[in-house]
Amino acid sequence: MKKLINGVSDVVTESLDGFARAHADIVKVSHDPDFVSRADGPVQGKVGLVSGGGSGHEPLHAGFVGKGMLDAAVPGPVFTSPTPMPIVEATKAADGGAGVLHIVKNYTGDVLNFETAADLVAAEGITVRSVVTNDDVAVQDSLYTAGRRGVAGTVLVEKLAGAAADRGDDLDGVTAIAERVNANVRSMGLALRAGTVPHAGEPGFDLAEDEVEFGVGIHGEPGRERIKLESADQLTYRLMAAVLDDLPFASGDSVLLFVNGMGGTPLSELYIVFRRAAEILDERGITLGRSLVGSLVTSLEMQGASITVLRLDDELTALWDAPVNTAALRWGV
């Protein structure tokens, strides 16, 4: 195992400290327990947004703390859910008096620990709502979830709900936007090579040089099937067919197309995937309304990509275009 780390037990803490120094104008980092919050927060009178999960998916979630997205994020150990207490403290740090929305990926540990934290802060007078993201079409159930996994679509939920909170929507309104996005977004990914969890010291799974894990999860969980390596266009078609047929998306829809890298995929390859995905939208009469390309929900250095498609309407498009200022997404400011 070759990694730029000092000690396995220090990876999350030292990474957070570097993140805080690099983006001190946007975020602040707290330890004991670990969480990230807005440097200018909490914003009084605004609904607070909190998300989190295991580390190793950077920039998810800490990279999306800032104006127009999250007010706080809770990084657990690598690929391991954070415990309730840092979620409690992050929720307090995000509370500006208008309530807090928890955006939780559908992994069993995340769901249970966020539920426990919500109960604890409710006892202190903070109103919390929760939206569980489950955009992954690869499986109905996995080793890690009851139901579908929450993956790259979570970024879109955070962005659009964050914009709704910034425009002044109340807690019920922000929650409704998050639920609407989650209901209209679908994702699926594939892996060419696994990442290596530092404390494991070896790749999470083995793939032959001519094999692809199709429908892989962001922790390396198995997907629909293991297939032989195909061209980028053929693999993109497989992903798009699975995603578009699931909602289903229809001719005349306007969508946001998000091609996400898993951590070890060059941007040039992501654009090759995006190119074919956009062509498939054209062929189906679906309008490419908005786009996003980049490694935003990663799995350490996994080599692979995922495709996420969100059905847009005028309101969701306006919320996407609204200003955002985070370490990982920034426009309009």
Side-chain angles (χ1 to χ4, degrees):
M1 180 180 72
K2 293 181 180 180
K3 289 184 177 291
L4 288 173
I5 63 175
N6 294 307
V8 170
S9 61
D10 300 322
V11 168
V12 174
T13 299
E14 293 183 351
S15 178
L16 285 174
D17 287 344
F19 179 73
R21 292 297 298 271
H23 304 289
D25 57 325
I26 300 173
V27 301
K28 55 188 174 184
V29 170
S30 301
H31 292 300
D32 298 322
D34 292 339
F35 66 92
V36 179
S37 56
R38 283 177 60 159
D40 61 350
V43 180
Q44 295 303 310
K46 186 187 82 68
V47 172
L49 272 67
V50 177
S51 193
S55 296
H57 306 301
E58 290 78 15
L60 192 79
H61 293 275
F64 303 119
V65 172
K67 176 178 172 56
M69 284 191 78
L70 299 176
D71 293 272
V74 191
V78 175
F79 289 3
T80 303
S81 302
T83 58
M85 287 317 299
I87 302 171
V88 166
E89 295 305 316
T91 303
K92 292 178 181 178
D95 178 36
V100 176
L101 174 64
H102 285 170
I103 299 173
V104 187
K105 300 189 304 303
N106 191 30
Y107 292 92
T108 301
D110 290 6
V111 172
L112 292 176
N113 290 338
F114 270 89
E115 285 179 350
T116 300
D119 290 340
L120 292 172
V121 297
E124 299 188 35
I126 300 175
T127 303
V128 175
R129 299 279 189 275
S130 180
V131 171
V132 178
T133 63
N134 57 355
D135 53 301
D136 188 0
V137 307
V139 291
Q140 288 289 356
D141 293 285
S142 78
L143 300 174
Y144 293 76
T145 63
R148 292 183 167 183
R149 303 175 292 221
V151 287
T154 306
V155 174
L156 310 188
V157 175
E158 293 174 353
K159 169 63 179 82
L160 295 163
D166 257 24
R167 75 179 178 185
D169 290 15
D170 63 13
L171 182 56
D172 287 340
V174 174
T175 303
I177 289 292
E179 290 174 339
R180 194 159 109 218
V181 175
N182 188 55
N184 284 279
V185 67
R186 298 291 188 271
S187 301
M188 191 162 179
L190 58 81
L192 308 179
R193 184 171 286 109
T196 298
V197 177
H199 63 259
E202 59 185 26
F205 55 90
D206 293 318
L207 285 172
E209 284 301 310
D210 64 344
E211 288 182 328
V212 175
E213 188 72 27
F214 184 68
V216 71
I218 59 173
H219 305 93
E221 312 97 304
R224 286 187 176 182
E225 57 183 330
R226 188 163 291 188
I227 63 176
K228 292 298 183 181
L229 180 64
E230 299 174 334
S231 70
D233 281 1
Q234 290 172 312
L235 292 172
T236 301
Y237 179 83
R238 285 180 180 267
L239 291 176
M240 286 292 284
V243 168
L244 295 179
D245 292 345
D246 189 86
L247 190 57
F249 294 86
S251 177
D253 285 344
S254 176
V255 302
L256 186 159
L257 174 62
F258 171 25
V259 173
N260 174 64
M262 298 290 199
T265 307
L267 191 57
S268 58
E269 294 179 19
L270 298 182
Y271 279 115
I272 291 172
V273 171
F274 187 92
R275 159 195 155 275
R276 181 58 188 138
E279 290 175 350
I280 292 168
L281 293 179
D282 294 340
E283 292 163 5
R284 293 205 180 198
I286 299 171
T287 299
L288 176 60
R290 295 292 185 272
S291 58
L292 183 65
V293 181
S295 295
L296 300 178
V297 182
T298 63
S299 183
L300 297 169
E301 76 278 23
M302 181 188 288
Q303 187 179 355
S306 64
I307 292 177
T308 298
V309 182
L310 167 65
R311 184 158 58 195
L312 294 170
D313 54 36
D314 289 345
E315 183 180 27
L316 295 185
T317 302
L319 290 171
W320 179 256
D321 291 342
V324 60
N325 187 34
T326 69
L329 286 184
R330 190 174 305 178
W331 58 72
V333 292

